[in-house]
Amino acid sequence: MLLAAYDWLRAFHILAVIAWMAGLLYLPRLYVYHCAAIPGGELDETLKLQEHRLLKIIMNPAMIVAWVIGLALIWANMERAGGWSVFLSLAWLGKFVLISAMTGLHHVFAIRYKRFQAGTNDWSDKRYRMLNEAPFVLAIAIVLVAVVALN
């Protein structure tokens, strides 16, 4: 059944990953701007609203959809390959670890979101600037493992 829908699954998986990655790349940039906002001011409230919409309406659903469809694609690949042995490689383990790290980073951003919402942010804009690079580095590593090592 999953094999029949494989192309559709891949298409929706790509869309979910793009939405998730866009949020992971943009949310820490909002946090950089938020560090300079006066608590309770107009900019502070605007950034809280933007962060809320980005995290709750775009990123969280996109991450869930990316994981669910990604697992469905794994299952479909297992059916096509004739068993789980195709996934017993360092490349698959590496990809799973990197995607788990991306999910962990998403969780860190969600925790920071709660801190900004409560007005208790204790990180500097410099830390958010450095953290802004992490999703890109992880994405490059995931693509390299997926394209080079899995083919």
Side-chain angles (χ1 to χ4, degrees):
M1 180 177 126
L2 287 175
L3 281 176
Y6 189 80
D7 289 337
W8 283 100
L9 287 172
R10 279 185 40 210
F12 283 112
H13 185 252
I14 290 168
L15 291 172
V17 169
I18 289 170
W20 186 26
M21 282 301 304
L24 286 170
L25 292 167
Y26 190 64
L27 189 59
R29 181 55 49 190
L30 285 176
Y31 292 161
V32 169
Y33 303 140
H34 207 154
C35 286
I38 298 167
E42 185 179 341
L43 180 59
D44 178 56
E45 294 305 317
T46 299
L47 289 169
K48 283 180 182 178
L49 180 61
Q50 289 177 342
E51 292 159 1
H52 173 79
R53 288 177 178 167
L54 182 58
L55 183 67
K56 301 291 186 174
I57 298 172
I58 297 171
M59 290 174 64
N60 287 348
M63 179 189 68
I64 292 166
V65 169
W67 266 100
V68 168
I69 294 177
L71 292 172
L73 287 169
I74 288 172
W75 189 268
N77 278 319
M78 185 270 308
E79 287 179 359
R80 182 170 45 186
W84 288 102
S85 62
V86 70
F87 304 110
L88 300 176
S89 70
L90 288 177
W92 276 101
L93 176 63
K95 185 176 179 184
F96 182 76
V97 166
L98 290 167
I99 293 169
S100 296
M102 189 85 75
T103 304
L105 187 62
H106 180 114
H107 182 68
V108 168
F109 290 166
I111 291 169
R112 301 319 303 173
Y113 159 80
K114 290 177 183 176
R115 297 299 292 261
F116 275 113
Q117 294 297 310
T120 59
N121 175 52
D122 56 348
W123 284 10
S124 69
D125 62 334
K126 183 177 180 181
R127 182 177 274 181
Y128 290 114
R129 281 191 184 98
M130 290 188 304
L131 201 56
N132 190 56
E133 306 304 325
F136 183 68
V137 171
L138 286 170
I140 289 172
I142 291 167
V143 168
L144 287 175
V145 169
V147 173
V148 176
L150 297 179
N151 287 328

